[in-house]
Amino acid sequence: MYAESPDGDSASAQTAFRASEKKYQLKLVEQFRTSANGRRRGGRFTAVPVDLSDALDVSASACARGARLVRTDGEMKVYAFDEHPGFYYVSNALSSEEQRVWVRAAATELCEPPARTNFGKEYGDLPVGLWNAALQDLMLIDGSWQRPQREIKRGDAEERLFARRLLTKLRWATAGSPFNWTSRIYEPNVPRRKISDALVNLTRRIAQSVPGEDWIFDAQAGLVNYYQPGDTLNGHVDDAENNLDRPIVSISLGCPAVFLLGYEDRSRTPMAMILRSGDAVILGGESRRCYHGVPRVFAADDGDFAPSPAFNAEHWDVDFEEYISHTRINISIRDID
């Protein structure tokens, strides 16, 4: 699916890409207070404000920051970048209704067996129904969702087995053929969650929204990533597919994030941009060989951003609204042949 730089973080600590990652990553400082007797005591941690002035925000000043508007279709706008041939930013790629549909699908369907998840190594396949189990405050007992037979206090080891806690620890789920990170190959003949026709059609529509590109896009595999505020995805290159001429379509839902798009090595400063709910990026052409990553995910109510209108409680389930207010979902789909 993607490959980390072989030189590791210590060797790449001084590269331009790594410097940009550090610039945008969450930094917390402790707020100290002085008591009446003059003693200094530690308090809560607060986030250091991050400077977003160098991050491209197409909702504000796209053309002034090197983006070319190449197509407009209603609220959807497609931008190209001269320094990154084959890369496209599609703002408002999904309508508000589509965003709600896919947030619900990601929380209740796309993470369900037989999709593989980050829980596999420790728990194997979780039982079906993680979302409903979280709403009912059930916990994982003997391979099924059950009510605890005794009081589980805060800090008890078993607390981590509550479905609501596991839901916050969900980080990825496979779509289509899962990728084996050890052998670096896709496994087409194993149990897997089929990519639905609706998701195939959605990602194909986004890929075909770019004028002048004659891409073949069959949507055979991908990942659904689940981020919490402050999470990161280190710089990597998607290079495990057989044909790098075919694009990757990546959809953002929920909390906003900073996305870095670099070059074929880490020595040049990457372009930073803001990804908002309902936006998509397409990595095609030369950009398939470029480092990219997500150094920062913001909470929906962060002072730098207004909450997405797609998830207003007036027309949206309150449980999903609460969930997506502190979650970013990224659906990335690709061909593997």
Side-chain angles (χ1 to χ4, degrees):
M1 195 72 67
Y2 51 77
E4 293 285 357
S5 171
D7 52 10
D9 182 68
S10 59
S12 62
Q14 301 306 314
T15 66
F17 194 99
R18 183 59 181 145
S20 292
E21 289 181 313
K22 289 183 176 181
K23 173 181 177 179
Y24 292 107
Q25 284 173 351
L26 175 65
K27 300 176 183 66
L28 297 174
V29 294
E30 189 173 11
Q31 302 297 307
F32 290 92
R33 65 185 189 277
T34 303
S35 61
N37 61 8
R39 297 183 115 183
R40 195 166 179 245
R41 295 186 177 182
R44 65 189 183 92
F45 287 83
T46 60
V48 176
V50 60
D51 182 5
L52 297 173
S53 60
D54 291 332
L56 169 67
D57 187 347
V58 298
S59 65
S61 57
C63 295
R65 302 297 302 277
R68 289 186 295 108
L69 181 62
V70 295
R71 183 184 176 189
T72 300
D73 184 357
E75 293 187 355
M76 184 193 75
K77 291 180 171 58
V78 182
Y79 297 89
F81 301 81
D82 291 337
E83 287 198 11
H84 296 280
F87 176 82
Y88 297 91
Y89 187 115
V90 186
S91 69
N92 295 310
L94 278 69
S95 68
S96 292
E97 181 179 356
E98 288 177 316
Q99 291 176 57
R100 295 191 293 271
V101 166
W102 287 106
V103 165
R104 183 186 294 271
T108 64
E109 299 174 22
L110 301 184
C111 58
E112 294 283 274
R116 294 182 184 175
T117 71
N118 56 290
F119 297 124
K121 186 174 182 179
E122 185 172 3
Y123 303 111
D125 286 341
L126 292 183
V128 171
L130 173 62
W131 176 263
N132 287 332
L135 294 185
Q136 297 173 47
D137 208 25
L138 305 182
M139 67 185 300
L140 184 62
I141 301 174
D142 296 330
S144 64
W145 301 120
Q146 301 180 33
R147 296 202 178 279
Q149 299 302 306
R150 64 176 182 84
E151 181 184 3
I152 306 297
K153 297 181 179 179
R154 186 170 183 177
D156 287 352
E158 293 92 338
E159 188 182 17
R160 66 189 175 87
L161 298 177
F162 274 105
R164 54 181 161 78
R165 293 293 298 272
L166 291 169
L167 186 63
T168 67
K169 299 298 182 182
L170 177 65
R171 288 298 178 268
W172 57 263
T174 58
S177 298
F179 184 74
N180 186 310
W181 273 270
T182 301
S183 60
R184 287 187 52 75
I185 61 171
Y186 287 91
E187 300 176 319
N189 298 316
V190 298
R192 64 191 186 277
R193 174 165 289 279
K194 180 180 180 292
I195 299 178
S196 67
D197 291 342
L199 186 52
V200 169
N201 292 334
L202 173 63
T203 51
R204 185 174 292 163
R205 185 191 81 197
I206 294 171
Q208 292 173 347
S209 69
V210 178
E213 296 284 6
D214 188 23
W215 281 319
I216 298 172
F217 190 72
D218 292 330
Q220 299 166 332
L223 274 179
V224 184
N225 287 106
Y226 304 80
Y227 300 88
Q228 299 289 302
D231 281 353
T232 64
L233 175 63
N234 291 335
H236 62 276
V237 178
D238 293 270
D239 62 354
E241 293 73 37
N242 292 328
N243 189 344
L244 297 187
D245 292 331
R246 297 187 179 184
I248 295 173
V249 175
S250 181
I251 298 167
S252 291
L253 298 165
C255 294
V258 174
F259 176 76
L260 296 180
L261 177 64
Y263 300 86
E264 292 189 29
D265 61 63
R266 294 173 181 253
S267 65
R268 299 173 64 184
T269 300
M271 175 176 64
M273 62 185 69
I274 305 298
L275 296 181
R276 299 175 185 273
S277 187
D279 293 345
V281 296
I282 303 172
L283 287 92
E286 294 179 20
S287 71
R288 282 298 311 268
R289 297 166 174 81
C290 293
Y291 279 93
H292 54 279
V294 178
R296 181 67 178 272
V297 174
F298 297 88
D301 59 355
D302 187 280
D304 291 307
F305 304 96
S308 171
F311 309 119
N312 188 293
E314 185 176 315
H315 46 61
W316 180 234
D317 186 293
V318 65
D319 294 313
F320 288 110
E321 181 187 16
E322 167 61 24
Y323 173 71
I324 204 60
S325 71
H326 54 76
T327 304
R328 175 180 183 254
I329 296 170
N330 179 248
I331 304 174
S332 61
I333 303 295
R334 67 206 68 203
D335 291 355
I336 60 177
D337 293 332

